[in-house]
Amino acid sequence: MFTVTPPSLSSHHHDKLSIYHRTTLTRNNNPLSLIPIPKSSLYLSIHTKSESHTQTQAQAQGPYLQQRLHKLCSSGNLNEALKLLQSQFHNFFSTSEAIGALLQACGVHKDIEVGRRVHGIVSDSVQFRNDVVLNTRVVTMYSMCGSFLESRKVFDGFQNKNLFLWNTLLSSYTRKELFHNTVSLFIELISSTDFVPDNFTLPCVIKASAMLLDVEFGEVIHGFALKIGLFTDTFVGNALIAMYGKCGFVESAFKVFECMPERNLVSWNSIMYVCLEKGLFEESYDLLHRLLNSEEGLVPDVATMVTVIPVSAALGKLEMGMELHGLALKLGLCEELKVNNSLIDMYSKCGYLCKAQVLFDRNVNKNVVSWNSMISGHSKDGNCFRTFELLRKMQREEKVTVDGVTLLNVLPACLDESQLPSLKELHGYAIRHDFQNDELVANAFVAAYAKCGSLNYTECVFFHGMKTKTVSSWNALIGAYAQNGFPQKALDMYFLMKDSGLDPDFFTVGCLLLACARLKFLRNGKEVHGFMLRRGLELDEFIGISLLSLYIHCAKTLLAKVYFDKMVTKNVVCWNTMITGFSRNELPYESLNMFRRMVSSGTQPHEIAITGVLGACSQMSALRLGKEVHCYALKAHLTEDKFVTCSLVDMYAKCGCMEQSQNIFDRVNVKYEASWNVIIAGYGINGHGLKAIELFELMQRSGCRPDSFTFIGVLTACNHAGLVTEGLKYLGQMQSLYKIKPKIEHYSCVVDMLGRAGQLNEALKLLNELPYEPDSRIWSSLLSSCRNYGDLDVGEEASKKLLELGPDEAENYVLLSNLYAGLGKWDEMRKVRQRMKEIGIQKDAGCSWIEIGGKVYRFLVGDGSVLELKQIQKTWSKLEKKISKIGYKPDTSCVLHDLEEEEKINILQTHSEKLAISFALLNTTKGSTLRIYKNLRICVDCHNAIKLVSKVVEREIIVRDNKHFHHFKYGFCSCGDYW
C-alpha cells in the first residue's frame, strides 16, 4: 500500500480540466451544446462569477466526497463508487487520490470490470494518462485481479517509467508466483534501462530464484548486490538467507547471516527457519539462545515462537517444549492463535496429550489448525474413538469447516478391521464434500483401507475413485499393499503401473524392495537393486534402508553388511536395521559388535536398537552384557518404552534369571498383553509350568484378554513341564472360550507335548486331524520323540513326511539317522548318512557359548584349536573322577556311531558344553553361576554329568539348549529329567 500526494496544478491546467469536464458533461446531456454561443461581455461576467462559486463549493464538498468514496471502496460497493467519481469528478478535493483509491479497491476486491472502466478514465484524461503514480496503480490492479497480460500491456505502453513502476510489476509477478516472469523482467530492467536496482528490486528477484531452486542465479544476484553496495541492506540479506536455505545451501545462509552488519528480527527468524526445514533442530534452538543473549535487544515475536516450538516436537524433547512454553508465557504470546496451535501440536507429538488438551480447551479462538493438531495427536496415539469424537464435535458444536488436512490427520487412526465402519463413514463424508478429487486424500484412503484389510475397497477407491492416476497414486497403492501384509499384490500392482506407461520413482522402488523382502524373493530384489544402480537411486536414504532390509530378510547378512559398510551416511534407522537383522538371523555376536560400532560412531541408540541388542543377549544367555545394555537404557531414559521393558523381561528370562525378570515385570505400571506374554513364556521355557499357569490366570483376572501369543507361552509351559492334561484343556479353551483359532504354532506345541510324554499315537492322530497342512517343525518334533521312545513305525512315517517338506535340510536326515542309530540299525543309519553326502549337506556341529567378563567364548565339539585346551581337558578329567565316585557312568548310547566303547567315551568328553564348563571353572571365581547356551539339544550323558558337577563344585550351572532351560544345582535339574 502507498499514499499518493498529487502534484499541484497550475491555474492554466485547472482551467483546461474544468473546460474538459464541462464540455464532456454538456455533450452527454444536451445535443444543442454543439451550437456556438456568442461570447458577450455579459456572458463572460456571469460565467466568471459562476466558476468562482463552483470552486468554492468544491472545496467545501471535497473532504465529504473523499470520505464517502473510501467507505464505498471499503464495503466493496465499487459500482456506486465509480458513479460517485464520474458524477462529482471536478468536486473531489484530490481527484488523482480518489482514482487511486478506487483502483486499489478494485484490486483488493478482484473487480476487474470496474477497474477497466477506471483505467479508461485515466487513459482518456490528458492530465492523468502520463501520471506515473496512477499508472502504477493500474498495473497493480490488473496484477491483483490476475490479468497479467493487461498489466504488462499498461506497463509496456507507459513511456515515462521509473524504478518504482518496474518494482511494482516485479513485486506483482513474485507475489503471484510467476517467478520466471520476475527473472525475465529483471534482466530486461538491467539490460535496457539505466536504473540501478534498489533494496525493493533485489528481494523480489532473490525470492524468485529461491522458489525456482536456481541457486546459481541467486549467487549472481548476490554478487550483483555486492557490486552495487546493497549487500549490507537488511532486506537483501534476509532474502539471501531464505534463498540459500530453500536451495539447501545452509552453510551459505549462515555466512550471509554472520556477515550482516545489522540484523533485524526477520533475519533471526529466517535463519532459524532454515535450520528447522533442513532438520538442524539443535542449531535452531541454539540460535534462539543467541537471539535472547544478543546485544541487539530484539524480542522474539509470534514468528520466532512458531518457528522454534516445532524443534522440541521434532526432537521429542518435552522439557525443551515446556521451556519454550514458559518463554511464550513470559513474552505474552500464548494468547496468539498461531503460538497456541504450535504448543498444542508440540505437546501432542511429544505424547503429552493431556497438556495439549488443556491448551486446546482454553483456546476460545480455535480455528481449523487447532482442531487438526488435536485430532492428529489422538490419531497418531491410535485412539480411534477419541479421534472421531473430536471430528464430530468439530463439525457439530464448533461448526469449523473440515479441510483436506483434517481428513489426512484422521485416517491414521484407522489401523485394523475393527475400524472399517468408521473408515467407511469418513469416506462417505469425503465424497459428499468433494474431497475425492484431492490426490493426497484419495491416496490416504487407499492406505487406510489396506491397513484395515479391505482389498476390495482399496482397489475400488484407486480404480474407480481416482480420475487421474499419477506416480504418487500408484505409490500409495503399492505401498499400502507392501506395508500391510500383501507383498504379492504390491508386485502385481507394479506391473499394472508399468503397463500404464508410468516409470517408478524412488518411493516405488523402496516399496518393491519391501515386498521382495517379505516374500524372500532375493532374485527379484537383486533385479530392483540393478535398476536402482542404473537410475542412480542407490544414494537415497529410504531406498538404502529398504535394500538392507531385503538382504536381511533373505538371510544374506554378509551382503547386507557389505552394502552397509559402503554407505557414506548411516542414520539411526540403518544401524537399527543391521542390529535387529543380525539378531533375527541368529547372529547375536555380530549384532553386539554392530551395537558397539554404533555407540563408538557417536550415533545415539534409540529404543529399537536397544530391543535388538537385548534380543542378541537373550540368544547367547549373555547376562553381563544384557545388564550393561540395561544400565545404558536406564541412563538414556529408554526403559519407560514398553518394547524395551518387554525385551528386558525376555532377556533376563532367557538368561535364566526369573527373579530379575519378575522384578522388572512387577515395576511396569500398565501391563499390556505383550508384558504378560513375555513373563508367561519366560517361566514356561525355564520349566516352571505351574507358575506360568498361575500368571495366566492372574492375567485374566486383571482384565487383560489373552491373545494368540499368550497361548503359545501357556502351551509351551505345559509342554516343558509335562502337563499334558492342562495343555489339552487350554487348547480347547482357545476356541470355545476366547474364540481364537489355533495356528500351526499352537498345534506344534501340543504335538511336541504329546510326543515327549510318549503318547505318539495320540500325537499322530492330532496331526492327521489338523485344519492345516503340518509343517516340518511338527514332523521334526514327532520324529525326535520317536527316537526317544524307540518307535520305528511312527518314526518312519514322520521321516517320510519330513523329507518331502525339507529334502535339503540337514536336521531332517540327522533325526532319522539318530532314530536308526538308537535302535541299533547301523546299516539304515549309514544309508541316511550316505544320502547326506550325495546331496552335499552335513550335520550342524554342536556349539556352546559362555560369557565371561563381558566377552563371549564359543566352543565346538571336538575342536582342537580351543585356547587352553590342555588345561580344559585336565580339568574335565579331574571332574570326571570326582563325579564317578558319586555315581557317574558315561552313557555311550548318546554317541550315534558304530564305534568301540572307548572311542565313544572319548567323543563324549569333547562335547561342547563340557568344554565350556571346564573353561569357565578355570576363569571364574568360586561360587559364581555358570551360564551356557548350546545350539543343539543337550544329550543324556551331558545332562547326567552336569547334574553331578554342580554338586561337586557347589555351583549353579544353567544350560540353555535349543529346546529348554536346565538349572543344575545340588545334583538336581529343574527339568526333573523331563526334556
Side-chain angles (χ1 to χ4, degrees):
M1 303 294 178
F2 46 86
T3 303
V4 179
T5 304
S8 59
L9 298 175
S10 66
S11 59
H12 172 70
H13 286 132
H14 188 276
D15 290 343
K16 285 181 67 178
L17 182 60
S18 299
I19 293 168
Y20 168 78
H21 287 302
R22 187 167 62 251
T23 305
T24 303
L25 291 171
T26 305
R27 285 175 180 172
N28 287 340
N29 298 301
N30 186 3
L32 299 176
S33 61
L34 295 175
I35 301 173
I37 299 173
K39 296 181 179 179
S40 64
S41 59
L42 178 63
Y43 170 79
L44 291 172
S45 175
I46 294 171
H47 181 74
T48 303
K49 290 179 181 180
S50 175
E51 189 176 79
S52 176
H53 175 72
T54 302
Q55 288 176 356
T56 304
Q57 188 180 21
Q59 288 175 358
Q61 290 183 344
Y64 165 74
L65 292 172
Q66 207 84 15
Q67 186 179 17
R68 186 180 169 198
L69 181 77
H70 279 294
K71 283 185 178 180
L72 290 169
C73 289
S74 298
S75 63
N77 198 346
L78 303 186
N79 281 305
E80 287 299 317
L82 178 60
K83 288 178 183 178
L84 177 64
L85 179 66
Q86 289 173 327
S87 64
Q88 301 290 333
F89 196 87
H90 58 285
N91 291 333
F92 277 91
F93 181 77
S94 174
T95 309
S96 63
E97 184 178 337
I99 295 171
L102 185 51
L103 283 168
Q104 185 176 348
C106 291
V108 170
H109 294 285
K110 307 288 189 294
D111 193 335
I112 196 170
E113 294 303 323
V114 173
R116 283 174 178 148
R117 289 159 69 187
V118 179
H119 178 205
I121 292 173
V122 174
S123 59
D124 289 343
S125 168
V126 175
Q127 178 186 358
F128 296 133
R129 69 176 59 157
N130 293 318
D131 188 310
V132 68
V133 176
L134 286 180
N135 277 276
T136 301
R137 287 287 178 96
V138 171
V139 169
T140 304
M141 179 274 295
Y142 281 127
S143 299
M144 292 177 72
C145 291
S147 181
F148 289 95
L149 288 175
E150 289 178 276
S151 180
R152 184 61 195 253
K153 185 177 179 181
V154 174
F155 176 83
D156 290 339
F158 193 72
Q159 298 300 317
N160 302 319
K161 300 183 189 75
N162 60 7
L163 184 60
F164 186 75
L165 186 56
W166 284 90
N167 285 347
T168 299
L169 190 57
L170 280 168
S171 177
S172 299
Y173 282 149
T174 305
R175 189 168 52 251
K176 293 298 181 180
E177 300 181 1
L178 299 171
F179 303 118
H180 288 289
N181 298 58
T182 303
V183 173
S184 299
L185 186 63
F186 174 73
I187 293 170
E188 185 181 340
L189 167 66
I190 60 174
S191 61
S192 63
T193 74
D194 294 327
F195 295 126
V196 178
D198 61 11
N199 59 351
F200 291 99
T201 317
L202 294 188
C204 292
V205 185
I206 292 169
K207 182 179 180 180
S209 63
M211 301 310 293
L212 293 170
L213 298 178
D214 190 347
V215 72
E216 292 181 358
F217 186 72
E219 288 174 330
V220 170
I221 304 302
H222 188 173
F224 186 78
L226 286 166
K227 184 177 180 180
I228 63 176
L230 280 178
F231 175 70
T232 57
D233 183 82
T234 306
F235 294 104
V236 175
N238 292 345
L240 287 169
I241 291 170
M243 183 273 293
Y244 282 122
K246 181 75 175 178
C247 295
F249 288 73
V250 180
E251 187 176 347
S252 298
F254 264 101
K255 284 181 180 177
V256 173
F257 176 78
E258 299 295 352
C259 292
M260 289 175 72
E262 184 179 341
R263 293 186 284 254
N264 61 13
L265 191 55
V266 176
S267 315
W268 288 92
N269 291 346
S270 297
I271 193 67
M272 279 190 272
Y273 184 76
V274 167
C275 291
L276 177 69
E277 285 291 287
K278 300 305 173 184
L280 302 172
F281 305 121
E282 297 285 0
E283 289 81 352
S284 184
Y285 189 64
D286 291 341
L287 281 164
L288 175 65
H289 280 279
R290 281 182 60 188
L291 168 63
L292 294 171
N293 297 319
S294 68
E295 297 178 356
E296 295 161 347
L298 298 172
V299 179
D301 63 359
V302 171
T304 315
M305 300 311 300
V306 170
T307 300
V308 79
I309 287 171
V311 168
S312 55
L315 293 172
K317 291 186 177 180
L318 180 61
E319 290 181 4
M320 181 190 292
M322 294 177 79
E323 287 178 7
L324 294 171
H325 187 180
L327 177 62
L329 280 168
K330 187 176 180 181
L331 297 172
L333 297 175
C334 280
E335 298 304 316
E336 294 289 341
L337 183 58
K338 289 183 179 179
V339 175
N340 190 272
N341 287 343
S342 294
L343 289 168
I344 291 171
D345 184 63
M346 179 273 293
Y347 281 119
S348 297
K349 287 178 178 175
C350 288
Y352 203 12
L353 281 171
C354 55
K355 183 62 177 176
Q357 189 70 52
V358 169
L359 289 173
F360 179 77
D361 292 338
R362 288 178 181 172
N363 187 355
V364 294
N365 298 313
K366 300 182 189 76
N367 62 3
V368 69
V369 177
S370 317
W371 285 94
N372 287 349
S373 298
M374 205 66 231
I375 287 170
S376 175
H378 285 290
S379 178
K380 289 175 181 176
D381 195 47
N383 192 336
C384 185
F385 174 79
R386 181 63 178 149
T387 301
F388 277 89
E389 183 183 41
L390 277 169
L391 178 64
R392 295 185 184 99
K393 187 177 180 182
M394 173 184 179
Q395 300 170 263
R396 184 176 59 250
E397 297 180 20
E398 303 294 336
K399 295 183 174 58
V400 178
T401 304
V402 170
D403 61 12
V405 177
T406 314
L407 297 177
L408 293 173
N409 286 337
V410 173
L411 286 169
C414 303
L415 296 169
D416 54 48
E417 191 175 350
S418 65
Q419 279 128 26
L420 190 58
S422 298
L423 177 58
K424 289 179 179 178
E425 178 187 346
L426 189 63
H427 192 192
Y429 177 90
I431 291 172
R432 289 194 302 275
H433 292 81
D434 202 32
F435 282 108
Q436 72 272 20
N437 294 323
D438 186 316
E439 186 179 348
L440 289 175
V441 173
N443 292 347
F445 272 109
V446 167
Y449 276 120
K451 283 180 184 176
C452 293
S454 179
L455 299 190
N456 289 336
Y457 277 97
T458 301
E459 294 184 4
C460 183
V461 172
F462 182 80
F463 289 109
H464 304 296
M466 291 187 184
K467 294 180 180 179
T468 304
K469 298 174 182 64
T470 63
V471 173
S472 296
S473 309
W474 283 100
N475 285 347
L477 183 66
I478 294 168
Y481 284 141
Q483 294 164 14
N484 292 286
F486 307 105
Q488 187 59 59
K489 271 281 187 182
L491 293 177
D492 294 342
M493 292 302 114
Y494 165 69
F495 291 122
L496 282 178
M497 173 186 174
K498 288 287 290 179
D499 291 343
S500 72
L502 293 173
D503 287 327
D505 61 8
F506 74 95
F507 186 85
T508 323
V509 169
C511 293
L512 290 175
L513 287 171
L514 178 60
C516 292
R518 294 191 172 177
L519 291 168
K520 294 182 171 57
F521 284 1
L522 181 62
R523 181 177 176 181
N524 299 78
K526 284 185 173 181
E527 290 176 1
V528 176
H529 191 178
F531 174 83
M532 288 163 48
L533 292 171
R534 291 192 297 274
R535 292 293 182 92
L537 296 173
E538 194 177 20
L539 297 176
D540 184 85
E541 194 175 271
F542 170 72
I543 292 181
I545 293 166
S546 299
L547 193 59
L548 289 177
S549 181
L550 166 74
Y551 288 129
I552 283 168
H553 273 80
C554 295
K556 298 296 180 181
T557 51
L558 181 59
L559 288 175
K561 186 175 182 300
V562 169
Y563 181 72
F564 176 81
D565 290 338
K566 287 181 179 179
M567 293 177 76
V568 178
T569 304
K570 301 177 179 69
N571 64 12
V572 68
V573 180
C574 299
W575 288 103
N576 290 345
T577 303
M578 293 303 296
I579 290 167
T580 56
F582 280 130
S583 182
R584 288 172 184 169
N585 280 284
E586 298 182 356
L587 296 168
Y589 194 75
E590 288 80 357
S591 181
L592 285 166
N593 280 340
M594 190 61 67
F595 182 77
R596 291 189 184 100
R597 281 181 60 188
M598 178 183 187
V599 175
S600 299
S601 72
T603 305
Q604 183 74 23
H606 292 174
E607 291 84 353
I608 296 175
I610 297 296
T611 57
V613 78
L614 284 171
C617 294
S618 300
Q619 290 176 35
M620 295 188 298
S621 293
L623 180 62
R624 176 168 171 170
L625 287 172
K627 285 182 174 180
E628 289 176 0
V629 176
H630 187 181
C631 290
Y632 185 95
L634 282 167
K635 291 176 183 177
H637 306 290
L638 299 175
T639 52
E640 295 301 314
D641 182 80
K642 61 183 179 181
F643 297 105
V644 172
T645 303
C646 286
S647 297
L648 285 167
V649 172
D650 182 63
M651 183 273 293
Y652 282 113
K654 288 179 178 174
C655 288
C657 295
M658 284 311 304
E659 184 178 352
Q660 184 64 23
S661 184
Q662 182 72 53
N663 287 339
I664 294 172
F665 175 78
D666 290 340
R667 288 200 295 269
V668 176
N669 294 324
V670 180
K671 295 177 173 64
Y672 298 94
E673 288 87 350
S675 311
W676 288 101
N677 293 348
V678 171
I679 194 71
I680 289 169
Y683 277 110
I685 61 174
N686 277 278
H688 304 294
L690 293 175
K691 180 64 176 177
I693 290 173
E694 179 188 331
L695 282 168
F696 174 63
E697 300 296 338
L698 182 60
M699 174 186 182
Q700 296 171 84
R701 289 197 298 273
S702 70
C704 198
R705 184 178 175 82
D707 59 15
S708 176
F709 294 103
T710 316
F711 280 100
I712 289 176
V714 171
L715 292 173
T716 299
C718 294
N719 178 16
H720 286 183
L723 304 172
V724 177
T725 304
E726 290 81 355
L728 293 173
K729 180 186 79 172
Y730 289 123
L731 180 67
Q733 280 187 1
M734 273 187 73
Q735 304 167 80
S736 61
L737 190 58
Y738 296 100
K739 309 301 179 186
I740 299 173
K741 186 178 180 181
K743 297 179 181 178
I744 197 74
E745 293 89 346
H746 301 97
Y747 288 115
S748 181
C749 288
V750 176
V751 168
D752 190 45
M753 177 181 69
L754 292 170
R756 281 153 57 91
Q759 300 180 26
L760 299 175
N761 289 324
E762 287 80 357
L764 187 60
K765 181 182 178 183
L766 178 62
L767 270 173
N768 292 329
E769 294 174 354
L770 286 185
Y772 309 99
E773 187 66 32
D775 63 8
S776 59
R777 288 175 299 174
I778 295 183
W779 290 112
S780 176
S781 64
L782 182 61
L783 182 54
S784 180
S785 299
C786 291
R787 189 263 171 189
N788 293 337
Y789 288 96
D791 192 323
L792 184 61
D793 294 335
V794 177
E796 286 186 330
E797 184 175 347
S799 66
K800 182 181 177 182
K801 294 284 188 181
L802 190 58
L803 293 176
E804 287 176 2
L805 292 169
D808 299 323
E809 295 293 327
E811 184 185 0
N812 300 339
Y813 292 94
V814 171
L815 285 171
L816 180 58
S817 171
N818 292 349
L819 172 66
Y820 287 133
L823 294 172
K825 295 183 173 292
W826 302 111
D827 290 339
E828 299 297 327
M829 184 205 77
R830 290 189 189 98
K831 288 179 183 177
V832 175
R833 295 291 174 98
Q834 183 60 37
R835 175 63 180 155
M836 289 176 68
K837 286 182 181 179
E838 289 173 359
I839 60 179
I841 57 175
Q842 58 183 8
K843 171 187 174 183
D844 290 337
C847 183
S848 294
W849 290 267
I850 188 166
E851 178 201 29
I852 299 173
K855 185 177 179 181
V856 178
Y857 296 88
R858 185 173 65 172
F859 299 88
L860 287 168
V861 61
D863 188 358
S865 64
V866 176
L867 293 172
E868 306 176 42
L869 181 60
K870 290 185 178 180
Q871 288 181 288
I872 289 171
Q873 290 173 336
K874 285 181 182 179
T875 301
W876 182 255
S877 296
K878 290 178 183 178
L879 285 172
E880 197 168 315
K881 287 177 183 178
K882 289 180 180 180
I883 62 178
S884 295
K885 292 178 182 178
I886 57 174
Y888 170 69
K889 290 183 180 179
D891 190 340
T892 56
S893 65
C894 299
V895 181
L896 304 174
H897 298 278
D898 189 12
L899 300 171
E900 296 295 328
E901 195 71 9
E902 188 175 345
E903 291 179 282
K904 290 183 177 182
I905 292 172
N906 290 335
I907 290 175
L908 287 176
Q909 292 174 340
T910 62
H911 278 195
S912 62
E913 54 265 62
K914 291 174 181 173
L915 297 177
I917 289 170
S918 300
F919 178 78
L921 291 172
L922 286 169
N923 294 279
T924 57
T925 57
K926 188 176 181 180
S928 60
T929 301
L930 307 184
R931 303 173 190 277
I932 295 134
Y933 169 59
K934 187 178 181 183
N935 65 332
L936 302 177
R937 186 171 181 266
I938 189 172
C939 71
V940 175
D941 180 72
C942 287
H943 192 271
N944 293 337
I946 296 171
K947 276 198 302 182
L948 299 174
V949 169
S950 71
K951 184 175 182 180
V952 298
V953 300
E954 298 181 345
R955 296 210 203 184
E956 182 179 5
I957 303 172
I958 301 174
V959 177
R960 175 185 160 200
D961 64 15
N962 67 342
K963 296 286 186 181
H964 209 302
F965 263 89
H966 302 268
H967 294 254
F968 298 99
K969 199 172 185 179
Y970 307 124
F972 297 96
C973 180
S974 60
C975 73
D977 297 338
Y978 180 86
W979 81 96

